Amino acid sequence: MGLFKPMNDPDFAPWNDPSATPLIKVEGVTKRYGGVVAIDNQSVDIYEREFFALLGPSGCGKTTMMRLLGGFEDISEGSISIAGQDMAGVPPNKRPVNMMFQSYALFPHMSVEQNIAFGLKREGLGQVEIRDRVSEMLRLVQLQKFASRKPDQLSGGQRQRVALARALAKAPKLLLLDEPLGALDKKLRQETQFELMDIQEKTGTTFVIVTHDQEEAMTVASRVAVMDEGRIAQIATPDVIYEAPNSRYVADFIGDVNLIEGHADGDAVAAKIGRFPSSMPKMKKGSECCLALRPEKLSIAKSKPTKATNAIKGKVLDIAYLGNITTYHVSVGDSILRAQVTNASRKARAGITWDEDVWLSWTNTAGVVLTA
């Protein structure tokens, strides 16, 4: 990996270092379109060599935030600086930023190497320097054998790598990726995620990816910013986002979750379907809250577990067999809870069937109590 510390190094966490200087500072940024507020007074720091994800549903403001970083939109209020320079009034072509579009935007009449060289020629680089840089990029994305081919002679994954090589050829400090894997099928998208991570580590370029795909963001990013209606709901590493969401919105948006609504009762959540102790700090008695439980943290059995801290009886409504896991939808009073079981053997599904009475159980530390 040369001089660059790989992102999978557990020591890479500049956001936890008070002395670290962010590469990108977004401070109090607001973007309005007439009376519509697309970005609402948001601030975020992004660090050098970080792979940062802007994640959220359509209309949440993630693409607007990316366009503000790239200079394709003007800020209504606030400021953005990159490498210590205020970007106010700096056009896109003068910023140390490049962008990779979802459509890839390759020139169909040009070969792979001509596409990669295009931006370098516009910069006025010499022929030898362009040739060496194109050769370096082809090796980086493993397309040396395809240098003379046109885009329509390549697969979707290969076109994606050409677009990435072209975007990296000018060695930007920041690369913006707009849903870069959206055009690929699921299996190829999963494979390409790891290729993208490997290329980012090798180049040391700061990547900011915009995506609505939770799995994609959780796979590639060092940190994830979950957005909702123009605001950042939570910024954290993928494991914290998943295991310790700060609100119902984040818990529900990331992965599958059971949300048991109730109120605080000492060190427990009191709900219609039961009272469930939690390891979370005590809250004001009677205050509204909910217990968030991931399906894989629930155990399911035909008989009541003898040592379970929390156990509740229900009836199996539906079963979804997904190969590696089986998901059980269990009716408990007015609620439907989901439990997931890893299929460690080929007959893992045989024990429990539809309309069967079952017991769900979990530990006190399995859930997160949410008040927002």
Side-chain angles (χ1 to χ4, degrees), residues 82-231:
I82 299 176
Q85 180 186 358
D86 192 332
M87 292 291 107
V90 181
N93 64 322
K94 299 297 183 181
R95 298 190 179 201
V97 179
N98 215 336
M99 186 166 179
M100 180 178 160
F101 297 93
Q102 182 178 1
S103 64
Y104 308 148
L106 299 176
F107 298 110
H109 62 287
M110 292 184 182
S111 66
V112 167
E113 59 185 354
Q114 288 170 337
N115 265 283
I116 297 173
F118 181 78
L120 301 175
K121 289 181 179 179
R122 289 180 65 96
E123 290 288 304
L125 273 64
Q127 289 187 357
V128 174
E129 192 174 357
I130 291 174
R131 184 190 63 207
D132 290 346
R133 186 64 176 163
V134 169
S135 178
E136 182 185 356
M137 289 298 101
L138 287 170
R139 286 196 302 272
L140 181 68
V141 298
Q142 300 178 27
L143 287 175
Q144 301 96 313
K145 296 179 180 179
F146 302 90
S148 60
R149 290 195 185 183
K150 300 288 179 63
D152 63 358
Q153 297 174 310
L154 302 174
S155 68
Q158 289 167 339
R159 287 195 293 271
Q160 187 265 350
R161 281 186 276 162
V162 175
L164 182 61
R166 185 179 64 182
L168 289 170
K170 293 170 63 177
K173 292 183 181 296
L174 169 64
L175 181 63
L176 304 173
L177 302 103
D178 181 17
E179 302 275 4
L181 310 181
L184 306 180
D185 63 68
K186 184 176 181 180
K187 188 171 183 179
L188 182 57
R189 188 164 65 245
Q190 291 173 336
E191 293 172 357
T192 308
Q193 287 169 5
F194 289 95
E195 291 180 0
L196 201 59
M197 293 165 63
D198 185 53
I199 289 169
Q200 192 270 338
E201 288 177 4
K202 287 178 178 176
T203 62
T205 305
T206 300
F207 279 20
V208 174
I209 186 172
V210 168
T211 181
H212 66 275
D213 188 318
Q214 307 149 33
E215 182 180 326
E216 182 172 292
M218 300 285 279
T219 299
V220 304
S222 54
R223 285 190 303 159
V224 178
V226 182
M227 297 194 66
D228 178 34
E229 296 184 348
R231 300 183 66 86

Side-chain angles (χ1 to χ4, degrees), residues 62-81:
K62 60 185 186 296
T63 299
T64 301
M65 181 66 82
M66 178 197 65
R67 291 180 63 82
L68 292 172
L69 289 170
F72 301 104
E73 300 282 355
D74 294 326
I75 297 170
S76 302
E77 295 173 16
S79 67
I80 292 176
S81 61

Side-chain angles (χ1 to χ4, degrees), residues 324-342:
N324 59 329
I325 61 171
T326 297
T327 300
Y328 297 89
H329 292 241
V330 180
S331 173
V332 181
D334 295 334
S335 302
I336 297 176
L337 302 183
R338 296 187 298 276
Q340 282 182 352
V341 177
T342 301

